[in-house]
Structure formats: C-alpha cells, structure tokens
DNA sequence: TAGATTGTTAATCGATTAACAATC
DNA sequence: TAGATTGTTAATCGATTAACAATC
C-alpha cells in the first residue's frame, strides 16, 4: 500500500511487541532476545527479527534488544508518544463502553467528541462530554481538528455517519459496524469484526460436536 | 489444525458471506453470483468460489447461487441454527456493553451467566441475570452446560478466570484482554485485539504525517 | 576467545488470483 | 444454441521459517 511494502501483519505485531516489552520492562529486565519475545508472543524468533528490521536496526548481535529503547522506538514509530484526539459516533451500549475503556486512555486515545442521532441522547453528558447531534459532526470535527473516528452505530447508520466524519476531516476510522464502509482513497478503515469472531468460534466448536 | 485444512481466513469470510446474503435476500433477490458477492465483500470472485467449495457445492454453473439456500447452509455449517448459551467474565464497562449488544443476540448467542471478582458488583442484577462471584464460575458453568465464554476482564485477571472457565467445561473463549491466554490443547481461543487495531490506525496516520 | 544472537538471504509454505473446461 | 457462471487446476504472490555469516 505504502512506500516499500511493510506487511499489515507486521504493523499489527509491532503493537504486540510493545505490549510485551512493557511487561518485561516492568519486571525489571533491561535486555531481551528475539526468542524471548517470540516465546511470549507465540511467534517464531525469525519473524520477530524480520518484523523489527522493517523499522530499523534495534538489536545487538550476541546481546539482543535494549528493552526500554525498543519500547520507546516502537511507541514513536506508531505515533503513540502523543495524545490522539478521537471522535466517537454512536453512544449506544458499545459506544459508552468504549468511552470509558481504560485500554484506549492508557494508550493516549482521548475521546473528545461524541455523536448520536437519537434525540433522547443528544444533549446528555457522558464522561464529561456532551453528546452532540450527528448533524453537527462535520463542523465540530473540523473545529477540533480531530483525525481519528470510532464508529459504534448500528450498521444502518454507519455509512452515513462515516461520510459526515470524513467531510469533517477524519482520516482514519475504527469501525465496529458489520458493514464494508465505502470511503475515498486516502481514508484508512480498520474493522473490528466482533460477530465474525464469535461465529468463527461457533464453527470450530460445532465441527467438533461440542455445540 | 483440523481434518483436511480449511484456512481460518475462509471460515471468517463465511461469516461475511452470510451477512451479505441476508442483505441480498431481504432486498428480494433469489440468486447471486460469486462476482456479486465478491463485489460486496471487497474480495476476488475466485476467492469466493474457492471459499464456498471448501464446504460444499452450492452453485449452479451459468446461474450462480440460490441466496436463501446458501444462507441457510452457511448458518447450519457454522452451527448458528440453534441458540448458544454463553458465559461472560468481567462485568465492567466492556462486559456490560457486550451483555446488551444486539449483534450477539441476533446471532443467537445468549449470555446466561455473568461473573466478576468485584464484591461491589457481585449480587447485582444486569439484564435479568445476577452477577456471580467468579469463584463459583466453574460449578455454575458445569451446571448450565455452557461451552462458550467471553473474557472482558482486565489483563491481570484474564488468565485466572480463563482457567476457571475451562475447569467448568468451557471449550471456546472470545478474549478481549490484551494477553496471550495459555490454554490446554482442545480449547479454542479467539482474540479481539481492540487496542492493536487502534494503534495500527495511529501508525498509518502518523506515517502519512496526519497525526 | 567462545558463546550468543543479530540481520539477512534462501527455502518453504500457504493463500490469492487467473484461466478455463464443464455445464446449466 | 449462445451466454453466463460454476468448480478446479495452474500460476502468482506474499508471508513465514530455516539457515548462516557477521558481530558483539
């Protein structure tokens, strides 16, 4: 997709390495080998080294990787060294859960706007933020210069709110609605397929006559 | 992993085809071609045909696929033709959102037990179910013969509750905690990597100098 | 120095796509 | 019959793993 092809999978694993490095760092270790990282991530050591080398030469032969240095490097590469303002579309159950989800906060994703199309919800406060009518989303996002959006509306509303978010300047969308969003090129959509995952589980269990 | 290797990806896509078939069916069409399915799923027509053939010969050359027949077949193959009782571990924000998540209900996944280790929460009712102490999870799951579990606890609690669920007879786990669960062979774990996905988004936007 | 572990190249594996005979 | 579209085989592509020289 971009410059000299870094596999999407490698980028996703970068995030996993970062998480594991944090654990190792907190446990007081200063260096770590690719085998140790691989072991903890359930991967192959060669894959770990290959993934990391896409982004730079972080290791020392015979020694391994400096834990804190590598952790900081990955954080920076992923753009996670500064807070990232986020707009949330859909203030239903899932939306509200995401709003108070510690994992997002910990990683610096700060939800600064919430939109919904339900007049019942519009105007109410949630986590210190007023739920706004989704009609106003474009202008508010433009004003606040937010670039990342999360869609947690029902499928039926997802495409239309996506359009509005994009109109307001959103460049990346985390989409929880089970629908293939149509977006202009240059806009990045990452899908979270909750139901697909659970259905997969059902398939494997059924096949083994467990369900 | 199983019999004659059906790729995990194909299974996950089965779920996507099912969703799209439902839309096409509701729109009143009776047949559909692999190109039409591919178009809507953002895939290659050959891939659609290949995926489907792993599970049976559903098509008619020159005609395509019978929408309702294929939908029913996939539903059955995935074991989604009957209700599936589910145990939920972790009644925090995310857990409560999943509890009332319509997508799960629509697909027949019925949450029948909720566990938490917070004495504040234990005993309270949620969606008509009493939150139970996670200490009692094994026996309750055994009694209710539940085979599917969802873990929405913090990482720190995830492994220990997973052990208890498995002890009670859970065979498949949908895991929201950002941690690699260690489970005996025969137990299926499907991870939902919320933070990884959002961090991926951050990476791509940073690289393009958008964040 | 000897041992460990990196970065990198080559070999393997698996998944996607193209092409096409079969057939409705 | 002619046109459409399947199921399937072969070709391509990409990702994972193995192997090893370089080097701390």
């Amino acid at each position: 997709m971009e410059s000299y092809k870094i596999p999407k999978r490698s980028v996703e694993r970068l995030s996993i390495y970062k998480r594991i490095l944090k654990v190792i760092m907190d446990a007081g270790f200063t260096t770590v080998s690719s085998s140790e990282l691989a072991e903890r991530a359930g991967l192959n050591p060669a894959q770990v080294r290959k993934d990391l080398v896409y982004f730079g030469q972080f290791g020392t032969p015979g020694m391994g990787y400096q834990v804190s240095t590598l952790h900081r490097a990955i954080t920076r590469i992923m753009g996670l060294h500064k807070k990232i303002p986020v707009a949330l579309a859909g203030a239903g159950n899932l939306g509200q859960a995401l709003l108070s989800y510690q994992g997002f906060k910990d990683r610096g994703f700060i939800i600064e706007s919430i939109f919904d199309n339900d007049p019942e919800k519009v105007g109410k406060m949630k986590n210190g933020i007023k739920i706004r009518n989704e009609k106003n989303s474009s202008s508010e996002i433009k004003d606040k210069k937010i670039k990342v959006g999360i869609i947690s509306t029902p499928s039926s509303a997802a495409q239309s709110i996506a359009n509005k978010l994009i109109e307001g300047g959103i460049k990346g969308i985390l989409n929880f609605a089970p629908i293939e969003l149509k977006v202009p090129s240059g806009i990045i959509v990452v899908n979270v397929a909750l139901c697909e995952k659970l259905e997969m589980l059902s398939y494997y269990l059924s096949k083994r006559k467990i369900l």
Side-chain angles (χ1 to χ4, degrees), chain A residues 3 32 43-44 72 75 78 99 109 114 135 152 154 170-171 188 199:
Chain A
S3 47
V32 67
L43 303 168
N44 179 293
R72 198 163 32 238
T75 302
M78 301 197 84
L99 198 55
F109 296 98
I114 318 173
K135 281 194 211 117
S152 58
I170 290 283
K171 300 294 181 194
I188 302 159
E199 294 196 343

Side-chain angles (χ1 to χ4, degrees), chain A residues 146-162:
Chain A
I146 300 177
K147 301 296 170 197
V148 175
I150 300 180
I151 294 184
S152 58
T153 65
S155 302
S156 54
Q159 183 65 61
S160 118
I161 188 68

Side-chain angles (χ1 to χ4, degrees), chain A residues 82-156:
Chain A
K82 38 187 179 184
K83 302 233 175 295
I84 299 171
V86 176
L88 176 71
N93 292 302
L94 184 57
Q96 292 186 36
L98 297 173
L99 198 55
S100 39
Y101 183 45
Q102 194 58 37
F104 286 172
K105 284 179 203 154
D106 289 346
R107 285 160 184 81
F109 296 98
I110 313 296
I111 294 174
E112 298 200 340
S113 291
I114 318 173
F115 302 105
D116 206 294
N117 63 1
D118 178 356
E120 282 288 305
K121 286 182 188 140
V122 170
K124 296 232 171 77
M125 297 292 285
K126 282 285 164 191
N127 284 36
I129 306 164
K130 192 179 276 184
I131 301 177
R132 305 282 314 272
N133 192 309
E134 68 164 52
K135 281 194 211 117
N136 307 117
S137 52
S138 293
S139 59
E140 178 159 338
I141 288 166
K142 212 170 288 175
D143 289 349
K144 294 194 177 173
K145 298 191 170 48
I146 300 177
K147 301 296 170 197
V148 175
I150 300 180
I151 294 184
S152 58
T153 65
S155 302
S156 54

Side-chain angles (χ1 to χ4, degrees), chain A residues 179-191:
Chain A
I179 188 182
E180 212 60 42
L181 292 176
K182 293 208 175 53
V183 298
S185 81
I187 306 294
I188 302 159
V189 176
V190 175
N191 292 302

